């Protein structure tokens, strides 16, 4: 095939003139490059513009409601007496101290553990309201509280617990009753307590008695609703009493005037002759009587009593020992008309007769001055036994005493066997070689109750009726014997060492 003329090869498109082609290409493709940027800008603008177009701005809204103003509620009341009306003043103010008028307040009062509302009016222009309650005697019932519920402009508030103060009334305490009481009997004392306004006081009251320099509680009584209380007392001596109430929240303490109660003897006191001397030695009063009547009690010698006797009324060499002796305790009438409890030691085979004779004296109200065991008076070197001189000088009644005869050194006394009894020696003297003991004033004088000068006297007669003999008559008027067996003299059958002279001469 014939070859045609040769042609130049085609240049690829990109090898075309760069200016024209390239300029043409840039012009044709520019929109494609700006589109993404345009889309992005619209995406950013349209959301913000869209809502504004759909919901235009309404403008500023209304102001919020103001907060309620804080308030202060207080309550105050003057002190009043229990039972009277108490005005309770309530005051309501705002936080700036301005009064809140027309506010409804609530006042409550607690009584017996229960809260109840008390009427209280609305506050006035000063922010005040007043309510009344009655003051009670018990502090726990004098408590109130007030509250305010608030409104649209004022906040609620309350007082908390408020205690009402009490004024104390004076206490009028009275104690009355008899002015005297017979010993061993009782009388009724009455107490009445009221306020100064005459209102009865209920509750405890103390009955006190004077003991030395101080007052001690005798009994605690309880006043009833009428303010009255009563009790019985049986003092054994002259006694002073008073009644006292202690201070209370509503009442001052108070004390009655002193009530004197004289103790009177149940028996008849001894009326001695004018000028009669008193015993040279005084003794304390013995314990008051125990039980009814003479109430005689016989026992063996207790250890404590024997210890006190040893070295005084008994010592080594005595003709009888502890096993042969007995202790007698018995009531007797004293010279002052009171009943006392005495004691003496005697032989076991004589104590029964002595006891019955002394009980008979009691039944007939024949008095005894005192009846202490003779060992109370201590040891006597002169008598080699308990001090009988001191016992006689005190007018003391006694029995056993292991000693020598008064005025006869070396001669053993019949009292050493415990069968001899000395009764009221001061008024019934003993004749010694040196004169009359313990006093000569009573020689030749008698008394229907306490001094005897003949066998017909009531004391001598009753002693004889019980086998207790008036051995030496007026030569030793106070000496009696309860002989062993049926001998005429003092215990001859049981005193082998007693000198025969004592059968014919006075051996006191």
């Amino acid at each position: 095939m014939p070859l045609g003329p040769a042609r130049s090869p085609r240049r690829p498109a990109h090898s075309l003139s760069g200016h024209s082609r390239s300029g043409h290409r840039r012009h044709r493709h520019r929109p494609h490059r700006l589109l993404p940027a345009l889309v992005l800008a619209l995406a950013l603008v349209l959301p913000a513009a869209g809502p504004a177009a759909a919901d235009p701005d309404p403008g500023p809204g209304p102001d919020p409601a103001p907060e309620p103003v804080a308030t202060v509620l207080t309550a105050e009341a003057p002190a009043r007496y229990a039972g009277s009306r108490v005005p309770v003043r309530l005051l309501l103010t705002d936080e700036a101290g301005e009064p809140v008028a027309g506010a409804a307040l609530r006042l409550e009062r607690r009584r017996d553990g229960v809260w109840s509302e008390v009427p209280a009016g609305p506050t006035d222009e000063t922010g005040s309201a007043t309510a009344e309650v009655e003051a009670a005697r018990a502090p726990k019932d004098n408590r109130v509280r007030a509250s305010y519920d608030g409104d649209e402009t004022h906040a609620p508030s309350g007082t908390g617990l408020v205690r009402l103060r009490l004024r104390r009334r004076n206490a009028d305490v009275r104690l009355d009753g008899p002015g005297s009481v017979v010993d061993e009997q009782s009388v009724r004392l009455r107490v009445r307590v009221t306020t100064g306004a005459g209102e009865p006081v209920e509750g405890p009251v103390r009955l006190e008695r004077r003991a030395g320099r101080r007052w001690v509680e005798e009994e605690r009584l309880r006043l009833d609703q009428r303010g009255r209380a009563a009790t019985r007392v049986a003092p054994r001596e002259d006694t002073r009493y008073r009644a006292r109430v202690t201070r209370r929240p509503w009442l001052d303490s108070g004390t009655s005037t002193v009530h004197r109660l004289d103790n009177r003897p149940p028996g008849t006191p001894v009326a001695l002759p004018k000028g009669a001397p008193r015993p040279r030695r005084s003794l304390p009063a013995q314990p008051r009587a125990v039980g009814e009547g003479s109430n005689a009690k016989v026992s063996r010698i207790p250890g404590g009593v024997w210890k006190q006797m040893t070295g005084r009324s008994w010592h080594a060499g005595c003709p009888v020992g502890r096993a042969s002796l007995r202790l007698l305790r018995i009531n007797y009438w004293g010279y002052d008309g009171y009943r006392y409890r005495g004691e003496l030691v005697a032989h076991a085979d004589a104590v029964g007769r002595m006891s019955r004779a002394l009980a008979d004296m009691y039944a007939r109200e024949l008095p005894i001055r005192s009846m202490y065991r003779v060992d109370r008076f201590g040891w006597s070197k002169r008598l080699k036994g308990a001090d009988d001189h001191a016992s006689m000088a005190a007018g003391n009644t006694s029995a056993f005493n292991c000693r020598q005869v008064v005025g006869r050194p070396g001669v053993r006394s019949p009292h050493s066997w415990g069968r001899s009894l000395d009764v009221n020696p001061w008024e019934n003297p003993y004749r010694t070689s040196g004169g009359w003991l313990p006093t000569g004033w009573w020689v030749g004088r008698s008394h229907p109750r306490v001094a005897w000068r003949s066998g017909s006297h009531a004391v001598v007669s009753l002693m004889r009726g019980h086998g207790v003999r008036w051995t030496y008559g007026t030569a030793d008027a106070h000496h009696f014997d309860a002989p062993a067996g049926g001998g005429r003299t003092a215990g001859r059958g049981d005193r082998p060492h007693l000198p025969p002279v004592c059968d014919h001469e006075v051996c006191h």
Side-chain angles (χ1 to χ4, degrees):
M1 170 187 273
L3 293 172
R7 296 183 176 183
S8 301
R10 301 186 75 169
R11 182 179 295 182
H14 65 272
S15 64
L16 292 178
S17 171
H19 176 77
S20 58
R21 285 195 179 264
S22 61
H24 176 76
R25 178 176 294 179
R26 285 194 299 268
H27 177 76
R28 203 172 63 180
H29 292 282
R30 182 172 296 183
H32 298 283
R33 296 181 64 181
L34 293 176
L35 183 61
L38 182 60
V39 171
L40 179 59
L42 289 174
L44 293 174
V45 172
L46 288 177
D55 187 13
D57 185 359
D63 293 335
E67 290 291 330
V69 177
T71 58
V72 178
L73 179 60
T74 60
E76 61 179 16
R80 288 289 188 268
Y81 294 119
S84 61
R85 303 294 294 178
V86 182
V88 181
R89 180 174 178 266
L90 306 175
L91 178 62
L92 183 65
T93 62
D94 61 21
E95 59 185 350
E98 294 298 321
V100 178
L105 305 181
R106 181 169 58 253
L107 179 67
E108 296 175 291
R109 191 258 185 88
R110 188 170 75 174
R111 197 157 196 172
D112 298 327
V114 178
W115 288 97
S116 57
E117 189 167 345
V118 178
T123 57
D124 58 18
E125 65 275 6
T126 66
S128 300
T130 302
E132 283 192 345
V133 297
E134 182 179 307
R137 292 180 175 182
K140 65 180 180 179
D141 290 335
N142 288 327
R143 297 177 182 180
V144 297
R145 66 187 180 190
S147 59
Y148 169 55
D149 291 338
D151 57 22
E152 294 180 354
T153 58
H154 296 92
S157 59
T159 61
L161 196 64
V162 178
R163 290 175 172 83
L164 302 180
R165 294 173 296 128
L166 288 173
R167 292 184 64 186
R168 291 185 174 88
R169 289 194 181 274
N170 294 330
D172 182 13
V173 185
R174 300 183 183 184
L175 174 65
D176 60 50
S180 64
V181 57
V182 175
D183 189 52
E184 299 185 82
Q185 297 184 20
S186 65
V187 293
R188 192 167 183 258
L189 296 182
R190 298 175 296 274
V191 182
R192 177 114 192 272
V193 183
T194 59
T195 66
E199 302 166 323
V201 175
E202 187 176 359
V205 60
R206 294 178 59 177
L207 179 66
E208 300 177 334
R209 62 177 172 83
R210 188 75 171 180
R213 295 184 177 181
R214 62 192 183 96
W215 289 94
V216 298
E217 184 175 310
E218 175 77 6
E219 187 178 356
R220 183 161 293 195
L221 307 174
R222 185 153 194 92
L223 300 163
D224 61 18
Q225 293 180 347
R226 300 176 301 163
R228 299 175 185 270
T231 188
R232 300 193 72 85
V233 295
R236 301 301 302 272
E237 59 186 0
D238 294 346
T239 307
R240 289 178 289 171
Y241 293 95
R242 73 180 186 184
R244 188 165 69 91
V245 292
T246 55
R247 186 178 180 181
R248 303 180 192 177
W250 63 277
L251 185 72
D252 267 332
S253 60
T255 304
S256 71
T257 57
V258 175
H259 182 78
R260 298 178 183 272
L261 189 57
D262 294 335
N263 181 278
R264 300 289 178 85
T268 304
V270 175
L272 296 174
K274 185 178 180 180
R278 298 179 62 84
R280 290 191 302 273
R281 181 158 183 165
S282 61
L283 292 172
Q286 290 189 271
R288 291 293 175 87
V290 175
E292 300 292 330
S294 62
N295 192 25
K297 301 291 183 182
V298 176
S299 68
R300 293 185 177 274
I301 307 299
V305 172
W306 184 250
K307 184 177 180 180
Q308 294 173 343
M309 292 172 56
T310 303
R312 296 180 179 86
S313 60
W314 185 92
H315 51 86
C318 290
V320 293
R322 181 178 178 181
S324 298
L325 299 173
R326 297 292 183 270
L327 176 66
L328 169 65
R329 292 187 172 100
I330 191 168
N331 296 335
Y332 68 89
W333 291 101
Y335 279 30
D336 57 5
Y338 288 94
R339 301 192 322 135
Y340 294 98
R341 188 75 170 167
E343 60 183 31
L344 54 78
V345 174
H347 196 285
D349 65 14
V351 70
R353 282 171 284 171
M354 293 183 187
S355 174
R356 289 188 290 273
L358 293 172
D360 202 354
M361 286 185 67
Y362 175 91
R364 301 189 193 188
E365 292 193 30
L366 296 170
I368 290 173
R369 187 177 282 280
S370 66
M371 193 189 300
Y372 283 101
R373 298 193 320 269
V374 74
D375 55 87
R376 176 187 179 88
F377 300 92
W379 172 261
S380 170
K381 290 179 64 176
R382 208 173 17 165
L383 299 177
K384 301 295 187 289
D387 192 348
D388 189 59
H389 286 283
S391 182
M392 287 190 294
N396 186 61
T397 295
S398 64
F400 172 75
N401 186 4
C402 184
R403 60 171 173 81
Q404 295 179 2
V405 172
V406 175
R408 289 178 177 272
V411 179
R412 191 183 295 277
S413 167
H415 286 272
S416 301
W417 280 265
R419 294 193 178 93
S420 298
L421 174 67
D422 290 345
V423 181
N424 293 344
W426 184 256
E427 292 80 16
N428 298 279
Y430 157 56
R431 185 181 63 197
T432 70
S433 57
W436 292 91
L437 293 176
T439 178
W441 191 91
W442 278 96
V443 176
R445 292 183 172 93
S446 65
H447 188 280
R449 302 178 72 194
V450 299
W452 36 93
R453 299 297 175 263
S454 73
S456 63
H457 191 278
V459 172
V460 177
S461 177
L462 72 83
M463 287 285 181
R464 184 168 53 248
H466 293 286
V468 182
R469 300 179 179 180
W470 193 36
T471 307
Y472 300 117
T474 57
D476 190 357
H478 63 259
H479 183 99
F480 296 87
D481 288 299
R488 182 182 62 82
T489 56
R492 182 179 179 85
D494 193 31
R495 49 189 177 98
H497 302 293
L498 187 66
V501 66
C502 292
D503 285 342
H504 310 287
E505 296 185 17
V506 175
C507 288
H508 173 78

